[in-house]
Each structure stands twice: as C-alpha cells, then as structure tokens.
C-alpha cells in the first residue's frame, strides 16, 4: 500500500460497472480502477444497480461490495420517464433547438441516481478527486455539479448531436479537469467549447497484445484463403458497417480486375450482405479475445469506417498486430490517430476508399511500414505503464494545486 | 499538468501518401473512369452533422449530388434467394423487367430530369448566396472601418 502523499484517494463514477458487455467508457473506468488499486491507491467505484444498458433496471443489490479487488458501492437508478426521454432525444437527433430545462429533463430521465449524488456530497472530503465517465448521462451531469472542484471528466466525446447541447458545454465548463482519450478527441472538444488548455489532458487506456498471436488458427477455422480487410466491433448503422460492406461490394463488382481480397467482419449485431457480395464478405461473428487477436494477425489491413469513435480500441489493437489501417476521414479521433502515427490512410468517399486499397496493394512495403509505425505509436502512448504514469502524475497535480 | 503525448513515430509520411491518392482519384475522375458506373450510393453517408461543419463538406456533398443526379435505371443486380430455382427465377425477373421497361422508362426519364434540375438549382443557390454573403461581409467590414 502506498503512503501519503503518493497515495491518491479516488472515486470513479460510472453508470454501470462490471455488468457484462461493457461499452468503451465503462471498460476504461474498470481498467483504471483495477490498475490504480493494484498500484496501492485508495479506490472506490460508485455506480448504479443497473446491469442492462437498454432497460436500466435495478438488478444488482444496492450497497458496498468488492469486484476484482476494488471497493464498489451501488445505488438504485432513479425512476425514468422513458416517453419524455425519447421525445426529447428525437428532437436532439433532428438538431431542433431545446431549452436548458428540456435538456436537463432529458438527462434526468436518462440515467441518474439521487442516492449516488447524495453519497458523493456527504463523502466528498474522503476523496482527493472524483472521476466521471462518460459525458452524456444525467449521472455525470449531476455528479460533476455536486463536486465541481474535485471533478475530473472523462467525456469519451463523439461528434454527435448530443455534443452540441448547452448542458454538454456546461458540464465541460464545470469540471475541474477533462481527461481525453486521444489528441483527436481533445481537438474536437476544443473546437466545440471554450476549455482552458491547462485543464485538458490526453490520457486514454492501455492496450497490450497477448503473449502469442496465431493467425493460422483463425484462417483455418474460417477457411480463409485470400488476404482480407478486417473489421471488429459492433456491426450496426451507427458504426458504418453497412457502408463498409457497400464500399467493398462496389470495389469487387466495378473494379476490373477485382482485387484479390475478402472482407471479414467480427463482432456483435447482424450483417446484411447484398446479392453476390456474399462470396467475399465473411461473417466471423463474435470472437473471444484470443481469436480476435489471431484475426488481427491474419488480416491484410484493418478498416474502421465509424465516425463515432472517442478512442477506437480495435484500431489500436490492430496496430499492435502490425497492420495498416483505413479510417473514415470524418472521424476526428481515428483520423488524428492515423496522422500522428503514420499507421493509416483515410477516405471520405468510395473513390478514395478504392484508391487507398489499391495503393496499399501496389505498395506492400509501405503497407508493412505503416503497420510498424502504428505499432510503435501504440507502444509509446498506450501501454499500461505509460497510461498509469500519466494518470498518477495528472491526478497528483490536481490534488496538490487545490 | 503533464500531457506527454509522444508523436515521434518512425517514418511514413501519410499526408504525402494521401495527397498522391487524391491526385490519382482526380486523374481518374478527369479521365471519366467513374462515369462508367452509377455510384449514387458511393458518396451517400448519412451524417447531417458533417453538413453543418463548413463549406468543405457542403462543396463535397454538392459534387456528390451532381454526380448522383444522373441515375442509371440498370444499376442493380437482378438476383434470387431461391436455392433450387435461382436461374429460372432470375431469368423470369429479367424478362418481366424488359417487358415493363416501356412504362418504367417514362418515370425514370422524368426522375432524371427532376434530379438534374434540383442539382443545378442547388448549385445556383449556393453560388448566389455565397456571393451575396461575401458582399455583405465586405459591407460590414467597410462600415466597421468607417466607424473606427
């Protein structure tokens, strides 16, 4: 156990914790909590009793417990008026103007917990810093407002309609510090809000490969004989997977000769493959962790078509396997990863997608060098050693400057 | 606070590669390579936020619209999901399609005409209001200068 002043006393607030099928922000909070606890810091996770992120039903018992060596205290989710929530959300999606009260009603009818906020107010003296993630939950909005002087916001910000709300700007302004996952996410936030430079920092999450990657195990299992472009993640419109399938179909059907490539999609959610495209689009389904790494290793390149990424862990994982990447130019985060690392190219329409693929096929040495540059970028900036070092330094400074 | 983000990774100038890729796309476009295909969906990405982000995307969408206005009635695959009668079903569908062409062609040509007009009007409106906006900005600037 560390001794003061090295020892940090931290609360981490997340809408769900260790509830299975975690989203990016929940995963990040759990990883931070466990790694910081291992380093001897005093950690308490404050979360809700919810398990299902669609219903937000209170399924876990309230009160304190331990998960993975970390103290976790759960509180019931407030009653939610889902009709009001959905009505306002539809208006947000249509970019209609809302009053601050309407926006706050939308957040309050999303996910929040009066019990948790009350606990924070009562016990704030026990914590040096309180970390909140992600940004678009009432729990985060109300929590930061309850302890602004100690609040560190980990927004996991996307360029989406919710980012343009007045409440989002208010949240960013109220927090004492904001920790971003990537330089791209930080730049997006600075383009949307006025945030003093000294209160924003890039931290992120550690990404490390397994001890062994066995590409042949993956290709044998799925009978893959040609090089392939790989995608891993949720397969849905929001992640632009239908667009990737359509681009790939066009590439195979109109380019003469058709590139000797397949497209392999892994992850949750159904995929629809039109007509004859089924011959070169392979549905690998949900892959367990080792199999996913084997797939990265077997891939010719990785493609992340989504424009809603605040970190894109799969892109960083594919770089650790030494593969070049293709990303959507309209995602500031993945674009910035590619620009900073030299590990990927970007496209804004089909024509550029086609040309990127052809260029990499014509220049295999360049493709290999890009994969290597990506690997180096992740090793330098997103190893757990680097991340925990940044976290401890920044959190220590926030505490000491108060 | 400590940011310490290291960006010095070894060697690939991806900006240069992208410039080369864009040059190749433009060259292909100039040679009319893409005109051989109707790529109406190729630039079709549902993201209204991008439209709000500035002229760069607006210009791009306008270009995509102009390209997509020239729809091609034959740009789809006639297929069948039937496991055993796939070929005859496809043949029958193709025959029906040919027989109906006399009627569908009328709608198709009117739709093409409408699309082309919409695209041209939008482009004209953009030019007209851009010019007007520039004039107003100049006027505001000169008024500000006069006042100070």
């Amino acid at each position: 156990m560390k001794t003061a002043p090295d020892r940090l006393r931290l609360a981490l607030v997340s809408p769900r914790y260790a509830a299975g099928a975690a989203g990016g922000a929940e995963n990040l909070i759990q990883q931070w909590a466990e790694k910081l606890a291992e380093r001897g810091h005093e950690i308490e996770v404050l979360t809700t009793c919810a398990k299902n992120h669609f219903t937000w039903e209170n399924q876990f018992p309230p009160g304190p417990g331990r998960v993975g060596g970390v103290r976790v205290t759960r509180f019931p989710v407030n009653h939610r008026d889902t009709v009001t929530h959905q009505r306002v959300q539809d208006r947000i999606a249509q970019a209609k103007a809302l009053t601050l009260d309407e926006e706050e009603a939308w957040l309050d009818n999303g996910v929040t917990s009066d019990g948790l906020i009350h606990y924070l107010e009562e016990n704030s003296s026990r914590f040096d810093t309180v970390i909140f993630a992600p940004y678009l939950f009432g729990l985060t909005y109300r929590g930061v407002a309850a302890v602004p002087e100690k609040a560190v916001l980990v927004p996991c910000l996307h360029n989406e309609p919710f980012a343009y709300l007045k409440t989002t700007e208010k949240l960013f302004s109220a927090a004492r510090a904001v920790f971003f996952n990537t330089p791209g996410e930080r730049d997006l936030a600075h383009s949307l809000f006025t945030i003093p430079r000294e209160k924003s920092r890039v931290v992120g999450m550690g990404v490390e490969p397994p001890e062994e990657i066995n590409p042949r195990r993956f290709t044998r299992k799925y009978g893959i004989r040609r090089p392939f472009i790989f995608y891993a993640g949720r397969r849905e419109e929001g992640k632009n997977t239908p667009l990737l399938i359509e681009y790939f179909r066009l590439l195979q059907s109109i380019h003469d000769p058709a590139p000797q490539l397949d497209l392999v999609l892994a992850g949750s959610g159904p995929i629809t493959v039109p007509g004859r495209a089924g011959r070169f689009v392979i549905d690998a389904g949900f892959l367990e962790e080792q199999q996913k790494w084997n797939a990265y290793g077997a891939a010719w390149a990785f493609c992340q078509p989504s424009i809603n990424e605040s970190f894109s862990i799969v892109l960083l994982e594919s770089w650790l396997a030494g593969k070049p990447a293709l990303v959507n130019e309209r995602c500031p985060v993945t674009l910035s990863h590619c620009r900073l690392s030299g590990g990927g190219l970007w496209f804004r329409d089909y024509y550029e997608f086609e040309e990127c693929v052809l260029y990499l096929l014509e220049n295999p040495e360049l493709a290999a060098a890009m994969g290597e540059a990506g690997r180096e970028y992740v090793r330098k900036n997103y190893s757990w050693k680097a991340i925990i070092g940044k976290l401890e330094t920044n959190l220590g400074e926030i505490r000491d400057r108060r | 606070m400590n940011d310490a983000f290291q960006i010095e990774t070894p060697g690939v100038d991806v900006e240069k590669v992208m410039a080369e890729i864009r040059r190749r796309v433009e060259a292909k476009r100039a040679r009319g390579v893409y005109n051989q295909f109707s790529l109406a969906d190729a630039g079709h990405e549902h993201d209204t936020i991008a439209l709000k982000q500035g002229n760069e995307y607006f210009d791009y969408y306008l270009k995509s619209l102009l390209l997509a206005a020239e729809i091609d009635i034959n740009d789809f695959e006639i297929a069948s999901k039937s496991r055993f009668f796939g070929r005859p079903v496809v043949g029958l569908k193709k025959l029906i399609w040919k027989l109906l062409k006399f009627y569908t062609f009328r709608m198709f040509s009117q739709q093409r005409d409408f699309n082309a007009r919409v695209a041209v009007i939008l482009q004209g409106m953009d030019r007209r209001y851009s010019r007007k906006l520039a004039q107003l900005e100049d006027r505001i600037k000169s008024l500000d200068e006069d006042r100070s």
Side-chain angles (χ1 to χ4, degrees), chain A residues 290-303:
Chain A
Q290 182 60 48
Q291 197 64 292
K292 182 181 71 175
W293 280 97
N294 293 345
Y296 289 131
W300 169 74
F302 184 80
C303 183

Side-chain angles (χ1 to χ4, degrees), chain A residues 159 186 198 201-202 247 276 329-330 339 341 346 349 351-352 355 362 380-381 394 397, chain B residues 1-3 5-9 15 18 22 24 28 39 42 45 47 52-53 57 60 77:
Chain A
N159 190 2
R186 177 195 59 196
E198 67 273 10
R201 284 293 171 267
V202 177
Y247 278 8
R276 280 178 282 182
E329 189 199 52
R330 288 193 284 122
R339 282 195 154 132
S341 66
W346 49 93
D349 54 25
Y351 313 106
E352 290 186 3
E355 213 51 52
E362 287 165 22
K380 275 185 180 165
N381 295 292
N394 285 311
E397 281 182 23
Chain B
M1 276 193 262
N2 178 16
D3 204 359
F5 200 84
Q6 293 185 48
I7 56 173
E8 307 84 13
T9 47
E15 300 286 352
M18 280 311 302
R22 286 188 173 147
R24 284 168 55 153
K28 277 188 174 176
L39 296 179
E45 297 169 44
D47 182 25
K52 289 181 191 168
Q53 282 180 334
Y57 281 113
Y60 160 65
E77 186 185 354

Side-chain angles (χ1 to χ4, degrees), chain A residues 181-249:
Chain A
N181 288 326
T182 64
E185 186 198 1
R186 177 195 59 196
D187 296 344
L188 170 67
H190 281 265
S191 74
L192 296 175
F193 320 115
T194 311
I195 308 169
R197 281 273 157 192
E198 67 273 10
K199 92 174 200 182
S200 74
R201 284 293 171 267
V202 177
V203 180
M205 194 169 95
V207 184
E208 278 166 11
E211 280 179 12
E212 191 200 0
I213 296 178
N214 190 334
R216 284 203 50 171
R217 203 170 287 165
F218 179 77
T219 49
R220 259 208 312 268
K221 183 174 177 188
Y222 290 91
I224 300 168
R225 292 195 175 84
R226 305 200 301 178
F228 64 91
I229 294 178
F230 183 51
Y231 167 84
R234 291 206 308 275
R235 301 175 311 179
E236 58 187 37
E237 190 127 344
K239 292 283 180 186
N240 257 344
T241 42
L243 181 88
L244 174 60
I245 293 169
E246 179 59 7
Y247 278 8
F248 201 75
R249 184 189 74 78

Side-chain angles (χ1 to χ4, degrees), chain B residues 3-4 17-19 23 26-29 39-40 47 55 67 69 72-73 75 78 85-86 93 106 108 110 124 135-136:
Chain B
D3 204 359
V17 175
M18 280 311 302
R23 195 195 56 72
E26 282 312 310
K28 277 188 174 176
R29 208 186 293 271
L39 296 179
D47 182 25
N55 284 336
L67 273 175
D72 177 359
I73 197 168
D75 183 38
I78 296 177
F85 305 105
K93 281 182 178 176
R106 293 181 181 187
F108 159 65
Q110 285 174 18
Q135 284 168 355
L136 286 170

Side-chain angles (χ1 to χ4, degrees), chain A residues 114-147:
Chain A
D114 288 345
L116 194 156
I117 305 296
H118 185 66
Y119 180 88
L120 256 185
E121 285 166 341
E122 295 272 295
N123 293 277
S124 70
S125 60
R126 284 181 37 220
F127 308 115
D128 300 323
T129 306
V130 186
I131 299 173
F132 295 88
Y135 82 100
L136 51 71
F137 284 89
L139 185 64
T140 303
Y141 182 73
R142 297 294 178 198
V144 169
V147 286

Side-chain angles (χ1 to χ4, degrees), chain A residues 343-354:
Chain A
L345 302 176
W346 49 93
F347 55 87
R348 58 184 161 194
D349 54 25
Y350 167 73
Y351 313 106
E352 290 186 3
F353 173 80
E354 176 190 295

